[in-house]
Amino acid sequence: MTPRLLIADDDPMIHLIVSQSLSNAGWTVRQALDGVQAIEAAQREAFDAIILDIRMPGLDGVQVTRAIRANPANANVPIILMSADRDDAVRMNGFFAGINDFIPKPFRTRELVERLASLRRLVGVPTSRPPVLADDDPRLWVDLDLAGRVQDVSPLCGSALGLPVSPRGLTLSAYLDALFTLEPADGP
């Protein structure tokens, strides 16, 4: 059975990156744009893992974690909190609320895939180990800096699509616009 993931983040680019990366890794991904939608989705559907942004409209990731954990059906679902905030208190509040892991933004999608597999193994779900990932791994991944500018991409993002777009220094949004419209992207 295909594992199911809920991603809650108000940034559509994060949705795209996580959805594409985890779909390529064999996950079915559902999306929520805010905390209220995430809670509603977790009440309606069973998920094998949940990823929450800390800062979302309405309810933040810590509040959403508390609400999800209040439902006994979700007591053991791995929850990962993501944030660009480097404050230790943010991470600690997440752990006190019941998250299983914290991933700082920017993040490597390869690491996200591996952390999810690790958390699933910890809760007793056998997972197949993907091959060791190398720099030329054909899966989709994009590394961003804190300003949201592309620092590195997998070959699938550029050469595998046959697009002559050099992403380094572009905002993720400008890079994705270039990929999907096939028009030259503006520089930084």
Side-chain angles (χ1 to χ4, degrees):
M1 180 181 223
T2 303
R4 296 170 43 81
L5 175 95
L6 172 63
I7 170 74
D9 196 306
D10 58 332
D11 184 342
M13 293 304 145
I14 297 294
H15 281 257
L16 179 64
I17 292 168
V18 170
S19 294
Q20 198 65 33
S21 299
L22 292 174
S23 293
N24 289 343
W27 289 78
T28 298
V29 181
R30 300 285 183 257
Q31 301 174 358
L33 293 173
D34 61 38
V36 173
Q37 286 181 8
I39 293 168
E40 290 170 351
Q43 290 172 342
R44 279 192 322 268
E45 300 178 53
F47 293 98
D48 297 293
I50 299 171
I51 298 173
L52 303 170
D53 184 28
I54 186 65
R55 307 234 186 272
M56 294 183 286
L59 301 172
D60 67 30
V62 173
Q63 294 168 313
V64 173
T65 299
R66 287 188 188 112
I68 289 172
R69 290 289 188 229
N71 179 347
N74 292 321
N76 295 317
V77 175
I79 297 176
I80 296 176
L81 192 63
M82 294 172 49
S83 178
D85 194 333
R86 297 290 193 243
D87 185 0
D88 286 340
V90 169
R91 286 192 301 271
M92 294 311 297
N93 284 337
F95 284 111
F96 292 141
I99 67 167
N100 300 93
D101 202 356
F102 179 88
I103 296 181
K105 291 179 182 176
F107 62 93
R108 287 185 169 270
T109 56
R110 295 180 297 181
E111 180 180 359
L112 178 61
V113 169
E114 287 301 314
R115 285 183 185 227
L116 282 167
S118 176
L119 287 172
R120 294 195 68 220
R121 285 190 302 276
L122 285 173
V123 297
V125 176
T127 58
S128 61
R129 296 282 300 151
V132 175
L133 300 171
D135 288 339
D136 61 348
D137 180 37
R139 295 187 185 145
L140 176 67
W141 53 265
V142 177
D143 290 332
L144 305 175
D145 64 17
L146 289 174
R149 297 202 180 277
V150 176
Q151 296 302 303
D152 200 6
V153 297
S154 70
L156 182 59
C157 290
S159 63
L161 292 174
L163 300 174
V165 177
S166 174
R168 186 170 294 280
L170 295 177
T171 63
L172 180 59
S173 141
Y175 177 59
L176 292 172
D177 284 347
L179 287 178
F180 292 109
T181 62
L182 301 178
E183 295 175 6
D186 294 334

